[in-house]
Amino acid sequence: MNYARQQTKPSMMFAALVAAMVVLILTVAAIPAYAQTFKKLYDAPGGPGISNPDAGATAQGRDGSMYTTSPYGGTDYGTLFKVTPSGKVTVVNNTGIGYFVVSGVTLGTDGNLYGTDQDGGPGGDCGFAGCGQIYKVTPAGVETVLYSFTGFDDGSDPHSAPIEGANGTFYGTTNSSNAASISTAYSITSKGKFSTLHTFTNAEGQTVIAGLVQGTDGNFYGSAATQGANGYGSIFKMTPSGVVTVLHSFTNADGNYPYLPLVQASDGNFYGTTNTGGLGDGVVFKITPSGTYTVLHNLDGNGDGAAPSSSLTQGSDGKLYGVTSDVNASTHGTIFSITTTGTFKTLYTFTGGTDGNNPNSPLKLNTNGKFYGATYSGGDLSLCDDGGCGVVYSLDVGLKPFVNLVTASGKEGAK
């Protein structure tokens, strides 16, 4: 009798446990997915302040703020500005940053910000406007010109910010050599020692607008928007000494005009977009370091947008995030996510009004878990001739903070 009771107790407890687990599972399943939240933080006022943000790179400084550039505004065609995580926008430099600063900036290990302008510097072979410059700026806004291009063998018209290699030297590209319309790759130290590493051939690709990214293998990877074996651009690998190997030549059916930087994801592969090609409105692609190329998604020009207009950013959730500039042939734009296996989702569609228009700047994932970006126009529609001077915005998709800054020193016993 007693033995029978001891045998039935566990089974009753097990039944209760199973019931509790079923309730728990049903409760978890009923939790809705996190709804992404778009928030406009700032209306660009136009010159002499920030005007038409359109930058290739955004850097998070040591103070936690995001730093980037606008090609217009300021007193001399361009500004450097910062955005705090809470959304406060401040112009850091609007007087000496150069002409047409579309590069944005990258952060050096010395804490300074590095970028380029397209038309600054002495005239060289480029006429009155200049052939472009490489500069560094302190977070307080003090600028130092490191190098002025001449338009000859060293190149001209740099669109992208140089990146710092593992050896502490910076590496970048120019769109062309003014006389020959041939792109170049260069290296430069933080003190301004400059070297031309490579002059691209038509077979390798031209119009190297995109910046470089250093892979975990130590090589640099990039893309050329035109030329290549088929005339539609290429993806290449370059050693630190400047030896270039073409990994893929676009055919238009698999993409066309890849003018944006690549990103190496946590799986070791590189991801990017083309502005056109595929089914006609651009593609999102994956390429391995050895050159195996895969189209992950063909943009449809409707709900998921068209003409990707900035590089991709990998979130802490493993997904890739980016923006397009067109929807239904109207220049409004979208924000999207895509997994490394190709599952695509439109997260936000711009109206072209007060929320912004034509988001050409890349998303920047701050260590607080939110994305930050900018649009070229829109916002306060009473400003600028084309309907607004642009906005700065944030996008919260539910990612948690993944870095906490702590004090580097303290008294004995402090944490």
Side-chain angles (χ1 to χ4, degrees):
M1 188 76 175
N2 289 339
Y3 180 79
R5 286 197 191 97
Q6 290 174 359
Q7 291 298 307
T8 55
K9 274 185 178 180
S11 84
M12 291 171 63
M13 290 174 62
F14 179 74
L17 179 61
V18 169
M21 289 177 64
V22 170
V23 171
L24 178 61
I25 292 170
L26 290 174
T27 303
V28 171
I31 295 175
Y34 187 91
Q36 60 273 357
T37 303
F38 175 93
K39 183 179 181 181
K40 184 176 75 170
L41 302 174
Y42 178 77
D43 285 301
I50 301 163
S51 183
N52 306 111
D54 179 10
T58 300
Q60 183 174 344
R62 292 180 176 177
D63 59 357
S65 296
M66 284 72 63
Y67 291 78
T68 191
T69 60
S70 69
Y72 301 103
T75 61
D76 253 346
Y77 290 100
T79 67
L80 171 69
F81 64 93
K82 73 174 182 178
V83 185
T84 67
S86 63
K88 182 181 179 181
V89 177
T90 306
V91 174
V92 177
N93 184 304
N94 70 343
T95 57
I97 204 71
Y99 285 171
F100 298 116
V101 281
V102 298
S103 71
V105 288
T106 57
L107 179 68
T109 51
D110 58 3
N112 293 315
L113 304 158
Y114 291 78
T116 64
D117 61 63
Q118 287 181 257
D119 297 329
D125 191 48
C126 305
F128 174 77
C131 296
Q133 298 173 311
I134 306 169
Y135 59 82
K136 70 177 176 182
V137 185
T138 68
V142 179
E143 181 194 14
T144 302
V145 174
L146 297 178
Y147 186 77
S148 294
F149 290 94
T150 67
F152 294 103
D153 292 341
D154 58 351
S156 66
D157 193 23
H159 279 65
S160 57
I163 65 163
E164 187 173 9
N167 60 359
T169 299
F170 291 82
Y171 296 81
T173 61
T174 70
N175 181 28
S176 69
S177 168
N178 190 59
S181 296
I182 291 174
S183 296
T184 66
Y186 65 83
S187 68
I188 189 168
T189 68
S190 60
K191 302 294 185 182
K193 184 179 179 181
F194 178 93
S195 297
T196 300
L197 294 178
H198 188 78
T199 300
F200 288 87
T201 66
N202 286 343
E204 293 169 337
Q206 296 296 343
T207 319
V208 184
I209 296 173
L212 300 170
V213 58
Q214 188 169 30
T216 53
D217 59 2
N219 293 310
F220 295 91
Y221 293 79
S223 59
T226 63
Q227 297 294 332
N230 304 309
Y232 299 106
S234 63
I235 301 172
F236 61 85
K237 173 177 69 175
M238 184 182 77
T239 67
S241 62
V243 178
V244 166
T245 303
V246 175
L247 297 178
H248 180 74
S249 291
F250 289 90
T251 65
N252 191 46
D254 62 4
N256 183 5
Y257 205 74
Y259 77 101
L260 302 167
L262 303 171
V263 59
Q264 188 173 31
S266 54
D267 62 2
N269 296 314
F270 294 89
Y271 294 82
T273 61
T274 67
N275 188 248
T276 60
L279 298 180
D281 295 301
V283 306
V284 183
F285 64 80
K286 172 177 74 174
I287 187 168
T288 67
S290 61
T292 301
Y293 178 88
T294 305
V295 173
L296 292 179
H297 183 73
N298 278 279
L299 295 163
D300 64 9
N302 292 303
D304 57 3
S309 48
S310 77
S311 57
L312 299 172
T313 299
Q314 187 170 35
S316 55
D317 58 355
K319 295 178 182 178
L320 300 159
Y321 294 81
V323 297
T324 68
S325 58
D326 295 320
V327 176
N328 283 328
S330 297
T331 308
H332 299 324
T334 65
I335 305 173
F336 67 85
S337 69
I338 187 169
T339 67
T340 55
T341 56
T343 301
F344 184 95
K345 183 179 180 181
T346 299
L347 301 177
Y348 186 79
T349 301
F350 290 87
T351 67
T354 57
D355 63 342
N357 184 23
N358 199 1
N360 282 342
S361 293
L363 295 170
K364 177 66 178 179
L365 179 61
N366 190 279
T367 50
N368 66 2
K370 295 180 181 179
F371 292 97
Y372 294 80
T375 69
Y376 180 81
S377 57
D380 186 339
L381 302 181
S382 68
L383 302 172
C384 292
D385 294 336
D386 51 0
C389 299
V391 307
V392 177
Y393 64 86
S394 67
L395 181 73
D396 186 354
V397 298
L399 304 181
K400 295 180 179 179
F402 55 93
V403 169
N404 247 338
L405 298 178
V406 297
T407 53
S409 61
K411 294 181 179 181
E412 183 178 352
K415 292 183 180 179

